[in-house]
Amino acid sequence: MEKNSKIYVAGHRGMVGSAIVRELKKQGYENIVVKTHKELDLCRQIEVENFFAEEKPEYVFLAAAKVGGIIANSKSPADFIYQNMMLEMNCIHSAWKNNVKKLLFLGSSCIYPKFAPQPMKENCLLTSSLEPTNEAYALAKISGLKFCEYLNRQYGTDFISVMPTNLYGANDNYHPENSHVLPALIRKFHEAKENNLPSVTCWGDGSPLREFLFVDDLANLCVFLMNNYSGNETVNAGTGKEISIKNLTEIVAEIVGYNGEILWDTSKPNGTPRKLLDVSKAAALGWKYKTELRDGIKIAYDDFLNNPVRTER
């Protein structure tokens, strides 16, 4: 990408999209196009086609998505597959139709099988069954990355896919039902501290192992890949390090300053038992994450405290 290249970031108000915009500006890219949902509904094909035809972006970061944790995915699978499939297909198809030089599609590590060999390599995709609690979202993301792959094969496009692990950081969603595990824990422990609650109950038994990547590190990788990678196989984005949910809750409680008891509701699902990405491909390309988990959680908690609107989502 040239510094004056016209770059469209879809989903710029979300955690990932806003981080990509920050990273682009940090690196000196000036010609960035963004649209709010009111200005452009990505689920409406005609609106997306008109936008691409008028704006003619040269590069596209497709970070827009309907996202949520176990509760949201379990309650609204039809919404998750429909909205994500529609916006992905509309954007990717219009990008091809309007000769976009390069598109980066952002997926999720939930695309990999529930019991995939750990750490999960990119080529384990579609080798066995998905985790049922987020199957709808995973199927939509798999469809998006496959559409990019098929366009590359059939039409010679340069559309790449990145699959990040669990993300956290500034501009996250702290809604009690629609958020992912780390922001949900930040809110839960903060409110417990504010209300002097003697205990906090978390889902499952705390045994699942998870990997977490600071969102600004992901944004840095996305810009890096846009400039340094072309290929049909997706690229995993993570740290290569994992932590149990139990240990994660203890760290969050410590950073928030909550000193009560942590209880576990084993009647609630754990989700996938282990989910660690093999990040050797990104490493071979010359990229590595920068932010350690404890440091990142401190930044995320500061963001939570300074952005009260995030608690209302």
Side-chain angles (χ1 to χ4, degrees):
M1 295 185 296
E2 302 296 329
K3 297 301 181 184
N4 63 347
S5 295
K6 195 169 194 178
I7 304 167
Y8 170 48
V9 180
H12 75 285
R13 283 183 154 181
M15 178 173 63
V16 175
S18 60
I20 290 173
V21 171
R22 284 196 302 274
E23 183 66 25
L24 287 168
K25 289 180 177 178
K26 179 181 172 183
Q27 294 192 27
Y29 294 97
E30 301 170 353
N31 194 5
I32 303 170
V33 178
V34 295
K35 293 287 183 181
T36 65
H37 178 72
K38 285 184 179 180
E39 294 171 322
L40 175 62
D41 184 348
L42 296 177
C43 287
R44 294 179 62 84
Q45 185 177 22
I46 189 65
E47 288 189 27
V48 178
E49 289 183 348
N50 289 341
F51 164 76
F52 272 86
E54 291 167 8
E55 290 288 347
K56 294 290 185 183
E58 297 172 80
Y59 298 91
V60 174
F61 289 89
L62 183 42
K66 177 177 175 61
V67 297
I70 291 177
I71 299 175
N73 275 273
S74 299
K75 281 186 174 181
S76 310
D79 295 343
F80 272 83
I81 195 167
Y82 174 78
Q83 291 183 36
N84 283 298
M85 287 278 285
M86 291 299 290
L87 70 87
E88 291 166 9
M89 294 298 154
N90 288 340
C91 285
I92 297 168
H93 178 74
S94 290
W96 161 68
K97 211 173 168 184
N98 289 276
N99 301 311
V100 165
K101 291 180 180 178
K102 193 164 188 174
L103 177 145
L104 183 145
F105 172 70
L106 274 149
S108 166
S109 58
C110 73
I111 66 165
Y112 295 124
K114 179 174 182 174
F115 295 109
Q118 304 287 323
M120 296 181 287
K121 292 181 178 291
E122 288 87 351
N123 62 9
C124 75
L125 180 65
L126 297 176
T127 54
S128 59
S129 300
L130 299 165
E131 160 60 39
T133 56
N134 57 19
E135 183 182 72
Y137 180 71
L139 287 170
K141 287 299 183 181
I142 291 169
S143 297
L145 76 87
K146 281 296 182 181
F147 189 30
C148 290
E149 177 185 326
Y150 298 150
L151 285 170
N152 290 345
R153 288 181 181 177
Q154 188 172 344
Y155 295 107
T157 51
D158 190 5
F159 291 179
I160 62 174
S161 298
V162 181
M163 297 299 128
T165 188
N166 297 286
L167 300 169
Y168 71 100
N171 212 23
D172 208 339
N173 177 4
Y174 299 97
H175 189 281
E177 289 192 359
N178 299 333
S179 59
H180 287 103
V181 60
L182 211 161
L185 289 173
I186 287 175
R187 176 172 181 162
K188 187 184 284 279
F189 283 114
H190 174 79
E191 291 181 346
K193 182 182 75 169
E194 292 291 293
N195 295 309
N196 295 310
L197 298 182
S199 65
V200 167
T201 301
C202 299
W203 276 34
D205 60 13
S207 65
L209 297 169
R210 291 291 182 270
E211 175 186 20
F212 295 90
L213 178 66
F214 191 56
V215 71
D216 288 72
D217 288 349
L218 171 65
N220 179 262
L221 173 61
C222 287
V223 177
F224 174 83
L225 291 174
M226 191 67 101
N227 285 320
N228 295 282
Y229 176 74
S230 293
N232 264 341
E233 194 174 76
T234 187
V235 178
N236 285 339
T239 63
K241 296 180 179 180
E242 59 189 345
I243 183 173
S244 72
I245 296 298
K246 183 176 185 296
N247 288 344
L248 178 70
T249 60
E250 293 167 353
I251 292 173
V252 173
E254 178 190 332
I255 289 171
V256 169
Y258 176 74
N259 299 311
E261 187 179 5
I262 301 174
L263 305 176
W264 295 92
D265 182 355
T266 54
S267 70
K268 296 293 193 296
N270 274 327
T272 305
R274 188 184 183 205
K275 197 163 72 169
L276 178 67
L277 293 180
D278 183 315
V279 294
S280 57
K281 178 180 283 187
L285 292 168
W287 185 88
K288 187 185 179 189
Y289 79 98
K290 299 177 179 65
T291 310
E292 296 297 340
L293 183 60
R294 186 177 290 270
D295 295 331
I297 293 175
K298 289 177 182 176
I299 296 171
Y301 184 48
D302 285 341
D303 173 69
F304 173 85
L305 294 175
N306 294 314
N307 291 277
V309 69
R310 289 285 149 197
T311 69
E312 297 169 7
R313 282 207 212 159

